[in-house]
Structures are given as structure tokens and as C-alpha cells.
């Protein structure tokens, strides 16, 4: 089965640091407003996905949710969660105090990968 999301080694290290400090996490990528389309990291239960938002997979065992409208735009794309030095828009994400910001790299799935994609879980 093909994964819809992967994570870089650098992001894994930041996630481990956040887990040590905050416990279980969750990720949410919104479709606009003040945070733009930047992935946000929260303590598990610190953010509630909207009706019909899509959970595209697990990042180090933690749910990664995508805004329902954004998912429709990116549903044929593979996500790779990365981390960069600096502060992203909004500053609501748990990595912000570390001087880091999560970022997604996208690529289109191949025809073969599209045939093996798992269904997404919908909030609802």
C-alpha cells in the first residue's frame, strides 16, 4: 500500500522533542486564513478537525488531518512533512517556540501509486 504522507529525518527529530515536552500530538493543515496552508502541530485534542476533513495518514504515529477543501485540491499528491528554521505564519504550532516551522513538500502520485492509495478517514 502507498502512503499519502512521509516525514523527513529532521522533522522526526523535532516531533520527538515535541512529544517529550507535550505528549501525544496531532497535525492539521488548513486551507487558508492566518496560517495559510502551513501544517500546524498541536497537542492531541488541542484542535478539532471540521466535518468532512481528511485524515491522510500517521506521522510518527500521530494523525495528520487536512482541511476538506484543501484535500480536494491536493488529493492526487504525496505529502512529505519537513521542518525548517524560522517562524511560519500564525505561530500557533508547537514547534514555533523552538525557532522551527513545519513545511510540506508535494509531488504528484504516479499512475501506479494512484491505484494503491488507501482511502482517507473523514471526520464526521
Amino acid at each position: 500500500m502507498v502512503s499519502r504522507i512521509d516525514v523527513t529525518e529532521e522533522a522526526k527529530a523535532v516531533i520527538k522533542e515535541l512529544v517529550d515536552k507535550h505528549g501525544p500530538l496531532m497535525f492539521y493543515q488548513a486551507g487558508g486564513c492566518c496560517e495559510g496552508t502551513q501544517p500546524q502541530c498541536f497537542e492531541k485534542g488541542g484542535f478539532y478537525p471540521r466535518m468532512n476533513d481528511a485524515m491522510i495518514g500517521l506521522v510518527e504515529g500521530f494523525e495528520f488531518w487536512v482541511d476538506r477543501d484543501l484535500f480536494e485540491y491536493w488529493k492526487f499528491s504525496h505529502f512529505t512533512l519537513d521542518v525548517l528554521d524560522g517562524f511560519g505564519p500564525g505561530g500557533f504550532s508547537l514547534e514555533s517556540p523552538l525557532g522551527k516551522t513545519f513545511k510540506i513538500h508535494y509531488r504528484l502520485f504516479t499512475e501506479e501509486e494512484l491505484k494503491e492509495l488507501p482511502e482517507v478517514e473523514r471526520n464526521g
Side-chain angles (χ1 to χ4, degrees), residues 12-26:
K12 286 179 183 181
V14 171
I15 291 167
K16 181 181 181 331
E17 188 173 349
L18 294 175
V19 169
D20 290 345
K21 184 172 184 179
H22 300 282
L25 306 172
M26 66 172 296

Side-chain angles (χ1 to χ4, degrees), residues 7-21 23 25 27 41 59-62 81 83 95 98 102:
V7 59
T8 66
E9 292 301 318
E10 294 82 5
K12 286 179 183 181
V14 171
I15 291 167
K16 181 181 181 331
E17 188 173 349
L18 294 175
V19 169
D20 290 345
K21 184 172 184 179
L25 306 172
F27 293 85
C41 179
V59 172
E60 295 299 282
F62 304 111
L81 182 65
V83 69
E95 80 282 0
L98 303 176
F102 285 116

